[in-house]
């Protein structure tokens, strides 16, 4: 806008007032300080309801920083000062940088030099004097750090007139980079968010020719500190842990004062030695008043290339510090010492269980609301329990049965040929006759409930079968308020609010229950209060819909089908659905929601994208709203990664790659044919293959993907049919693999924690860390049978304590919490509670 900021702001206001922009969620005010003050985000950070990383990102965005502009890229602080030790002790304050000082003031010798230079700037007006001629955040800094990642690599080459810069000036050593930032008067750069999230930036995976230094050192991957053990992922993991440490939490407000607060400008900035070139500050010059074209271009060039200071969010008052850890909310599985205090409670009064006849079979799904728990049983009955945490009474919670209703028949009930011995899906005529047989069976409601429970339990033991059709389970259900309702609630509260709903408990019952795996191959939406059918659609799926995953935003849902595709749906938000839906879906589905109903229906859901990539039936999904990524697994062992809102294919991850298959073939050939060496030509011989096939299928099939879990840090854990657990990143970097020691039916990442929680046929709930999948705690629930599902209290319920809910084969729900009064009770010998142990990470799982 050549006319300045006024035409720009006017144009923006007209767009917001005249157009429907469902994906625009900005504040009504355009003043960053007003937005910051009204957000109340600081209080969430102080109470530890959001992480340090999340808070810094919120501050950067409110201060005008964005990933879309390298001249105003988000800025993060140097956290550590120790890049030479073999080990890193995050409890030692000496390994951290002094966050109360800017980078340029950390070294006393350099500080004395810049102060002397400051006083020698006699020809400058007082308001134009500066300590540092460079800046802590500039396009050069961003390109310096991200030189190994496109599109920044190409931008670096363009900046250097078609080549890379001198190798000695490239980013290739963490310790050397920090040393330069501490000593050189011209280098005061801070870090960028990728140092805490993106290990790929430290690896030259594209093999760019970065050259050699003067001492003949080849520039390739970044040289990492010894404590990172040569692993970029370990470096990022420890670096992120350092950012979230108690030391940084108690001192981060000092750095915020320097970058976003009252020490950014004025006398406080001068006293803190935090004065940069005057053109780097917002509003220091009005470009509209510069009439000389040469001066205007020179000023613009200086602002764009030499760094810009973020918008000042706090002018007068210091930023408050964070509350102590002991006074704030903690995740149930946030740290190993906390696992020693876990307690298990199994309320006796439940709809399910051996002594009750209201609900039959295993607990297949648990959906947690703020004031209610929704339990779905194998006979497709839905139990509603009144629930809330409390500090008094015999238990740390209130748990009471309210009502039990029947949802309807799932595919495992409606199609009798679907059993563990089935080898193919029946034809439509066969399905109809089978359904008729089942209708006759349902003459007695009790017999029908028991039949459904037995069928589901049987099929759960055979997940998935060779047909690629999987039975009803926790993966078949989801709960939502609806996309529009959730959005309206989030607009009225703060980002990442502690609780999106402040009102009567009946608000929970206005939710909707989503379910798939029905006899008519559709996704259905039922009202939670009454289980009335509100919507039914197949979204264009051909055949059964095996699984679904609901996003945390309450609007986006992803389904996986027997046809090898995944579908992205928008639930109860027609404007957003219209904005997201691609033209192919609109054309293929004829502008409908997939079942012939108009897609403009405000009360339904609409398919927005079709996700391609699989060659066989999709068996499981994991959807992370923060990353806008869904990972899907299929029966042939393939894992696909897609972006959700754009509906774009990202990559395929094959856990069993070619080298592993060769190793397996080599082992089998040695065992069966006596060959000592692996001969690729021999393995591909049809004659040898026939021999191996005849010998009990020696050429092992690639195991299917049974379960998936996806963390907000981009780590994907997959459980395969052969019992293996594999952890990799969404960028297909393998981290580790271990054997689960069990056939898992449930696998979840604890919200707000860095722990993986699993449960399976061995009747154990096992808690593993997300570093190497080492076992850290085992809960023995063998008295209740195999574990069927797991669920957690949402982090939005903070500050209420977090609970874990375990559904078991006997139809009972077990509730797990942490007892702060039992810190020294290491053997778990609490009367009436299951035994548990804290695992040392070294013993074989068979011992458990």
């Amino acid at each position: 806008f050549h006319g300045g900021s006024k035409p720009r702001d006017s144009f923006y206001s007209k767009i917001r007032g005249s157009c429907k922009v469902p994906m625009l969620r900005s504040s009504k005010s355009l003043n960053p300080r007003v937005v910051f003050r009204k957000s109340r985000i600081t209080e969430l950070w102080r109470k530890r309801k959001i992480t340090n990383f999340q808070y810094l990102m919120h501050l950067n965005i409110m201060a005008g920083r964005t990933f879309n502009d390298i001249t105003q890229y988000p800025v993060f602080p140097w956290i550590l000062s120790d890049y030479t030790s073999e080990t890193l002790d995050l409890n030692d304050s000496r390994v951290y940088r002094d966050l109360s000082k800017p980078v340029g003031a950390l070294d006393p010798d350099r500080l004395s030099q810049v102060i002397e230079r400051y006083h020698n700037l006699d020809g400058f007006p007082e308001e134009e004097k500066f300590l540092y001629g460079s800046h802590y955040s500039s396009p050069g800094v961003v390109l310096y750090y991200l030189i190994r990642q496109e599109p920044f690599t190409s931008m670096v080459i363009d900046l250097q007139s078609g080549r890379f810069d001198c190798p000695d000036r490239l980013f290739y050593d963490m310790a050397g980079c920090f040393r330069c930032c501490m000593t050189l008067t011209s280098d005061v750069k801070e870090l960028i968010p990728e140092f805490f999230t993106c290990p790929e930036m430290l690896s030259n995976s594209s093999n760019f020719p970065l050259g050699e230094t003067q001492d003949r050192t080849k520039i390739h991957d970044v040289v990492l500190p010894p404590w990172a053990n040569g692993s970029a992922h370990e470096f990022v993991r420890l670096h992120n842990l350092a950012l979230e440490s108690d030391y940084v939490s108690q001192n981060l407000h000092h750095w915020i004062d320097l970058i976003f607060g009252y020490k950014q400008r004025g006398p406080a900035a001068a006293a803190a030695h935090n004065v940069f070139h005057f053109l780097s500050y917002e509003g220091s010059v009005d470009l509209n008043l510069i009439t000389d074209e040469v001066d205007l271009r020179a000023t613009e060039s200086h602002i764009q290339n030499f760094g810009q200071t973020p918008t000042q969010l706090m002018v007068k008052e210091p930023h408050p510090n964070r509350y102590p850890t002991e006074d704030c909310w903690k995740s149930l599985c946030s740290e190993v010492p906390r696992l020693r205090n876990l307690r298990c409670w199994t309320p006796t009064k439940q709809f399910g269980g051996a002594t009750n006849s209201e609900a039959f079979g295993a607990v297949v799904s648990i959906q947690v609301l703020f004031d209610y728990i929704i339990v779905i049983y194998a006979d497709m009955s839905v139990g509603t329990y009144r629930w809330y945490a409390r500090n008094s009474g015999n238990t740390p919670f209130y748990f009471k049965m309210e009502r039990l209703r029947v949802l309807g028949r799932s595919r495992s009930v409606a199609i009798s040929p679907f059993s563990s011995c089935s080898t193919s899906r029946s034809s439509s005529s066969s399905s109809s006759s089978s359904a008729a047989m089942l209708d006759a069976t349902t003459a007695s409601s009790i017999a029908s409930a028991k039949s459904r429970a037995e069928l589901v339990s049987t099929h759960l033991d055979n997940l998935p079968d060779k047909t690629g059709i999987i039975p009803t389970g926790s993966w078949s259900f989801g709960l939502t308020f609806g996309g529009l309702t959730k959005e309206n609630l989030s607009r009225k509260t703060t980002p990442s609010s502690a609780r999106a709903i402040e009102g009567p408990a009946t608000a929970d019952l206005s939710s909707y229950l989503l379910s798939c795996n029905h006899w008519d191959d559709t996704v259905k939406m039922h009202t939670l209060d009454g289980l009335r059918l509100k919507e039914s659609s197949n979204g264009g799926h051909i055949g059964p819909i095996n699984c679904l995953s609901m996003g945390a935003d309450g609007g986006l849902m992803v389904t996986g089908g027997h046809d090898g595709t995944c579908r992205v749906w928008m639930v109860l938000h027609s404007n957003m659905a219209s904005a997201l839906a691609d033209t192919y879906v609109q054309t293929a589905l004829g502008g409908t929601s997939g079942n012939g109903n108009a897609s403009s229906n405000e009360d339904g859901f609409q398919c927005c994208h079709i996700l391609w990539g699989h060659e066989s039936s999709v068996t499981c999904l994991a959807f992370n709203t923060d990353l806008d990524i869904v990972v899907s697994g299929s029966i042939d062992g393939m894992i696909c990664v897609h972006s959700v809102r754009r509906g774009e294919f990202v990559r395929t991850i094959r856990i069993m790659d070619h080298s592993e298959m060769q190793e397996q073939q080599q082992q089998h050939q040695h065992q069966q044919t006596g060959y000592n060496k692996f001969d690729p030509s021999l393995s591909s011989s049809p004659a040898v293959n026939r021999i191996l096939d005849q010998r009990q299928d020696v050429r092992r099939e690639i195991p299917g993907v049974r379960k998936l879990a996806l963390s907000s840090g981009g780590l994907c854990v997959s459980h395969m049919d052969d019992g293996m657990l594999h952890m990799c990143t969404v960028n297909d970097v393998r981290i580790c693999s271990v054997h689960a020691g069990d056939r898992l039916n449930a696998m979840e990442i604890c919200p707000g924690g860095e722990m993986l929680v699993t449960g399976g046929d061995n009747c154990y709930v096992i808690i593993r860390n997300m570093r190497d999948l080492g076992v850290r705690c085992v809960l023995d629930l063998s008295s209740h049978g195999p574990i069927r599902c797991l669920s957690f209290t949402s982090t939005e319920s903070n500050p209420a304590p977090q609970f874990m809910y375990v559904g078991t084969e006997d139809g009972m729900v077990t509730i797990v919490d942490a007892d702060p009064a039992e810190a020294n009770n290491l053997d778990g010998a609490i009367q009436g509670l299951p035994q548990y142990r804290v695992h040392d990470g070294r013993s074989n799982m068979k011992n458990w």
Side-chain angles (χ1 to χ4, degrees), residues 53 56-58 60-61 64-76 142 146 151-152 155 192-195 197-198:
F53 182 89
L56 289 177
M57 281 305 307
H58 280 298
N60 272 282
I61 293 173
R65 316 300 281 191
T66 172
F67 290 104
N68 299 323
D69 184 358
I70 61 172
T71 67
Q72 300 189 74
Y73 211 74
V75 56
F76 270 62
V142 177
L146 297 177
F152 304 99
M155 298 171 71
I192 56 178
E194 282 80 356
F195 276 95
T197 60
C198 184

Side-chain angles (χ1 to χ4, degrees), residues 260-505:
F260 305 101
Y262 80 107
K263 291 183 180 181
Q264 185 193 98
R265 302 186 186 190
H273 307 297
N274 191 39
V275 181
F276 295 87
H277 195 281
F278 79 100
L279 286 179
S280 71
Y281 295 100
E282 183 183 35
S284 61
V285 60
D286 189 348
L287 297 177
N288 297 320
L289 300 179
I290 301 178
T291 57
D292 186 87
E293 186 69 22
V294 175
D295 289 344
L296 177 61
R297 291 184 179 180
T299 303
E300 290 178 339
S301 177
H302 189 285
I303 294 174
Q304 291 177 0
N305 296 298
F306 287 89
Q308 300 180 41
T309 302
T311 300
Q312 189 177 24
L313 299 178
M314 295 153 283
V315 179
K316 298 180 180 180
E317 298 296 328
H319 191 285
N321 61 351
R322 210 175 193 190
Y323 296 131
T325 306
E326 54 271 15
D327 297 337
C328 300
W329 180 88
K330 284 185 179 180
S331 171
L332 182 67
C333 305
S334 58
E335 51 194 18
V336 173
R338 186 170 171 82
L339 300 178
R340 300 175 183 272
N341 308 328
L342 296 184
R343 303 179 298 181
C344 298
W345 309 83
T346 305
T348 56
K349 294 183 179 180
Q350 299 189 36
F351 293 114
T355 59
N356 297 297
S357 58
E358 295 183 75
F360 297 95
V363 174
V364 296
S365 181
I366 301 175
Q367 304 293 328
V368 182
L369 293 167
F370 291 115
D371 299 297
Y372 288 90
I373 296 176
I374 310 302
V375 179
I376 304 169
Y377 297 91
D379 64 349
M380 293 302 105
S381 59
V382 180
T384 303
Y385 295 86
R386 188 76 165 86
W387 155 271
Y388 57 83
R390 63 183 181 185
N391 297 323
S392 59
N394 297 327
T395 61
F397 53 83
Y398 176 83
F399 186 86
K400 181 182 178 181
M401 298 186 297
E402 284 219 340
R403 64 176 62 182
L404 184 72
R405 296 175 180 268
V406 177
L407 177 63
R409 299 194 183 102
S410 67
R411 167 162 294 278
S412 57
V413 176
I415 301 180
S416 60
F418 173 55
S419 63
S420 57
C421 60
S422 299
T423 58
S424 63
R425 190 182 176 202
S426 303
S427 63
S428 58
S429 59
S430 177
S431 300
S432 301
S433 60
S434 301
M437 294 172 59
L438 280 174
D439 288 339
T441 307
T442 56
S444 171
S445 60
I446 299 297
S448 176
K450 290 183 177 180
S451 175
R452 291 196 294 265
E454 291 172 358
L455 281 170
V456 172
S457 297
T458 300
H459 302 324
L460 282 170
D461 293 332
N462 296 279
L463 168 67
D465 70 354
K466 293 182 179 180
T467 67
I469 306 173
I470 62 176
T472 302
S474 59
W475 47 87
S476 305
F477 301 95
L479 212 60
T480 182
F481 293 105
L484 184 60
T485 303
K486 188 78 171 181
E487 180 181 321
N488 291 335
L489 288 169
S490 64
R491 289 177 186 270
K492 296 178 182 179
T493 55
T494 58
S496 303
S497 176
R499 178 164 178 169
I501 294 180
E502 298 290 347

